[in-house]
Amino acid sequence: MFVKVGSIIAAILAWFGLSFLFPETILPGPFQTAMVLADNFANGDVFQHLFATLWRVMGGLALAMAIGIPVGVLMGVNRFAEKTLDIWVMVALTVPSLCYAIFAFIWIGLNETAAIVAIGLTSAPSIAINLWEGVKNIDTRLFKMAKVFNASRWVIIRRVLFPQVLPYIMASLRFGLGIVWKITVLVELLGRPDGVGFELFYWYQLANMQQVLAWTLLFTIVMLFIELLILQNMERKLFSWRPKVKI
């Protein structure tokens, strides 16, 4: 805990020092950025845009996990599925996120459904590849042992496969969250009238670096809150049974 706090303080001090080397229009300092962020809260616009973005992030992440987890696990445990789907997962991964956003807005319209679909489809291939590589490394000897004891397919999935796949699912969740946040900003920039991405693009057009940095800082803090207080606690509870390894 002290290491994390120390690293944050060091980053703020470095930011403070660098701000003296550039004018405020290029790199405002932490105090100026905090004041702008406080003014945004006082004006009452922050929560509307923040909640809109978080809704799209959560919806897009849920869709990406719903697509990526089954595809990745299936490719990891089934050789035929791996040979059939690997090329298409790579194709989906190489398509730019901008294309997914444009396709969704043209096909579905400029609405929330299109935004979430674009976010989910863009993120799903990365999650599938992460699960695919992880599942291929599971211990197959446990499956053979379960079959020796005449375990049913459901028991094997629940007691053997799922506990070994769960760490990769958690890693994909954290990895996907970082990807989804970046894609959400792009989608909001293209076709939504609110959200953090909309605000970033608005202030970018006005060349207001203080506002751009303030909105970036706001969502960075929110994402760190989700990571440190929610995902890490969830991971700690899910894997409390694992012994700690000390080197």
Side-chain angles (χ1 to χ4, degrees):
M1 184 65 182
F2 292 106
V3 175
K4 291 180 181 179
V5 173
S7 65
I8 293 174
I9 294 175
I12 294 175
L13 291 176
W15 178 11
F16 184 75
L18 288 173
S19 65
F20 285 103
L21 303 178
F22 302 93
E24 289 188 2
T25 54
I26 301 298
L27 182 63
F31 178 75
Q32 293 90 340
T33 304
M35 292 299 295
V36 171
L37 186 56
D39 290 339
N40 290 341
F41 274 102
N43 293 333
D45 295 333
V46 170
F47 291 108
Q48 172 192 349
H49 294 288
L50 182 60
F51 289 153
T53 297
L54 286 176
W55 165 253
R56 292 167 192 139
V57 167
M58 295 301 116
L61 181 61
L63 179 60
M65 297 294 286
I67 297 173
I69 290 176
V71 172
V73 172
L74 182 62
M75 291 174 64
V77 299
N78 188 288
R79 186 65 59 86
F80 177 77
E82 181 181 23
K83 292 181 178 180
T84 304
L85 297 176
D86 61 348
I87 182 65
W88 298 112
V89 171
M90 293 306 300
V91 168
L93 185 66
T94 55
V95 173
S97 56
L98 179 63
C99 295
Y100 285 107
I102 293 174
F103 293 158
F105 285 135
I106 291 177
W107 290 338
I108 305 175
L110 295 174
N111 51 49
E112 291 297 315
T113 302
I116 291 175
V117 167
I119 296 166
L121 292 180
T122 307
S123 309
S126 299
I127 294 173
I129 288 179
N130 192 45
L131 263 297
W132 174 26
E133 293 297 331
V135 171
K136 287 197 297 185
N137 294 323
I138 63 177
D139 191 351
T140 57
R141 292 174 299 178
L142 296 177
F143 291 91
K144 296 178 182 177
M145 184 177 68
K147 290 181 179 179
V148 169
F149 286 97
N150 294 321
S152 65
R153 181 182 294 271
W154 169 244
V155 171
I156 293 175
I157 292 174
R158 185 166 56 92
R159 295 286 189 176
V160 180
L161 177 63
F162 183 71
Q164 294 190 79
V165 172
L166 187 57
Y168 300 108
I169 293 177
M170 286 300 302
S172 298
L173 178 62
R174 299 165 84 172
F175 178 61
L177 185 63
I179 296 176
V180 163
W181 144 238
K182 297 177 180 66
I183 298 168
T184 301
V185 172
L186 175 64
V187 169
E188 291 176 340
L189 182 151
L190 284 176
R192 302 311 301 138
D194 53 10
V196 175
F198 171 82
E199 284 291 314
L200 285 172
F201 186 62
Y202 173 79
W203 293 111
Y204 157 74
Q205 290 177 309
L206 300 179
N208 190 325
M209 189 60 190
Q210 290 185 342
Q211 285 284 2
V212 170
L213 202 54
W215 282 98
T216 304
L217 177 63
L218 169 67
F219 207 73
T220 300
I221 292 173
V222 172
M223 297 306 289
L224 284 175
F225 174 84
I226 294 174
E227 164 65 24
L228 297 176
L229 297 184
I230 298 178
L231 293 183
Q232 286 193 6
N233 285 331
M234 183 190 305
E235 187 176 39
R236 195 176 299 114
K237 292 180 179 179
L238 286 174
F239 304 116
S240 59
W241 56 271
R242 293 193 303 188
K244 295 183 179 180
V245 178
K246 295 183 179 181
I247 300 177

